Amino acid sequence: MKYPDDFNTPAFPAGRFVAVSRFMGTAVMCVFFLIICVCGIILWVKRTQDVTPFLISINPNGERWTVVAHDNHKTTIPAYYVLQESLLNKFVRNWFSVSSDANENNARWAKCNRDSPACTQDIGNDDITCAIYCPSDDAVWDTFEHVVLPTLTQIATVDGDVWAVKSLSMKPVDSVESITANGGFWKLNIAVQTNTDTLYFTGFARVGYDIQAYPKTMGYYVAEFYTYRMN
């Protein structure tokens, strides 16, 4: 006999209701089981996921986008890495600065003694006296004095132009691990705002370490510095 159709008789009047109840009970159990499975999957995904923050760096001179990320978000940046970044940030901004104030230019481009207060003491964030000479070695200073300074002097005195770094980005040439407590090699992307245009430069800098000769910058100094205009 076919159930429940053949049982829908006066002799068994509750047959259809029993069948419906059995179906609904089975359906509820299946739905309940699926809910438990979904909850388990959600908990498993929650425990296994590892969200790593990242940044997209857009260089101002039209290069390709760069994804800056860490393989492990628990990685910490060592102090010497930050010190080298700070050194290069200040150095590059002073290197490409041309002020409308002649006294400010003369102070920034001056040459001091290595043991003078300007090179050994942190006078303040606004101190620009010998700002290029003090954090660089003799070879970098010679390049600036004989190659770069004549051009900057002409820009300031003859052209009457004013230069200021508009944006600056930097990263290790190789990897974050290549930057050590003894220094490292960096790549720079620089945008300089002038009176009439924005100039783009790319460059490379090598940071060295000598705590005795460069106490003001925690021992770090610019050992090599090369820049090339992109436009």
Side-chain angles (χ1 to χ4, degrees), residues 78-88 91 114 119 132-137 179-184 186 206-223:
Y80 56 76
Y81 188 101
V82 179
L83 288 173
Q84 294 179 50
E85 278 188 324
S86 177
L87 169 69
L88 290 176
F91 184 80
R114 290 292 181 189
C119 291
I132 297 175
Y133 175 79
C134 290
S136 61
D137 71 354
I179 306 301
T180 68
N182 293 323
W186 298 77
R206 185 178 299 279
V207 176
Y209 181 77
D210 186 343
I211 190 60
Q212 300 298 327
Y214 301 91
K216 183 176 180 178
T217 53
M218 303 297 179
Y220 294 103
Y221 65 96
V222 181

Side-chain angles (χ1 to χ4, degrees), residues 7-225:
F7 287 84
N8 189 20
T9 63
F12 193 66
R16 181 176 295 275
F17 299 103
V18 172
V20 172
S21 299
R22 185 180 65 177
F23 172 78
M24 292 301 297
T26 304
V28 170
M29 291 181 63
C30 291
V31 171
F32 185 70
F33 177 76
L34 292 175
I35 292 175
I36 294 177
C37 292
V38 171
C39 292
I41 293 174
I42 292 175
L43 292 176
W44 177 77
V45 172
K46 185 68 175 178
R47 289 186 176 184
T48 57
Q49 68 180 358
D50 187 9
V51 179
T52 301
F54 67 91
L55 301 174
I56 297 178
S57 174
I58 304 176
N59 295 322
N61 54 1
E63 294 183 6
R64 297 180 62 183
W65 291 11
T66 302
V67 176
V68 182
H70 293 291
D71 294 333
N72 187 349
H73 64 275
K74 296 181 181 179
T75 301
T76 57
I77 300 298
Y80 56 76
Y81 188 101
V82 179
L83 288 173
Q84 294 179 50
E85 278 188 324
S86 177
L87 169 69
L88 290 176
N89 182 69
K90 293 180 180 179
F91 184 80
V92 170
R93 293 183 183 277
N94 283 310
W95 185 283
F96 286 99
S97 291
V98 178
S99 174
S100 58
D101 186 347
N103 292 328
E104 183 176 331
N105 290 330
N106 292 334
R108 180 180 287 111
W109 300 336
K111 179 179 180 180
C112 300
N113 295 324
R114 290 292 181 189
D115 57 353
S116 65
C119 291
T120 58
Q121 301 177 13
D122 189 2
I123 300 176
N125 293 331
D126 296 331
D127 178 42
I128 60 172
T129 303
C130 302
I132 297 175
Y133 175 79
C134 290
S136 61
D137 71 354
D138 293 336
V140 174
W141 168 255
D142 288 343
T143 300
F144 175 81
E145 184 178 29
H146 298 104
V147 179
V148 180
L149 185 55
T151 301
L152 296 180
T153 302
Q154 179 178 351
I155 291 172
T157 58
V158 179
D159 302 335
D161 207 351
V162 175
W163 283 22
V165 173
K166 182 179 179 181
S167 64
L168 169 62
S169 64
M170 67 185 76
K171 64 179 181 179
V173 172
D174 295 324
S175 63
V176 176
E177 290 74 16
S178 66
I179 306 301
T180 68
N182 293 323
F185 198 37
W186 298 77
K187 180 181 179 182
L188 313 168
N189 289 293
I190 310 154
V192 178
Q193 184 64 53
T194 69
N195 288 4
T196 58
D197 196 7
T198 301
L199 307 179
Y200 297 100
F201 297 84
T202 186
F204 299 91
R206 185 178 299 279
V207 176
Y209 181 77
D210 186 343
I211 190 60
Q212 300 298 327
Y214 301 91
K216 183 176 180 178
T217 53
M218 303 297 179
Y220 294 103
Y221 65 96
V222 181
E224 295 180 47
F225 188 71

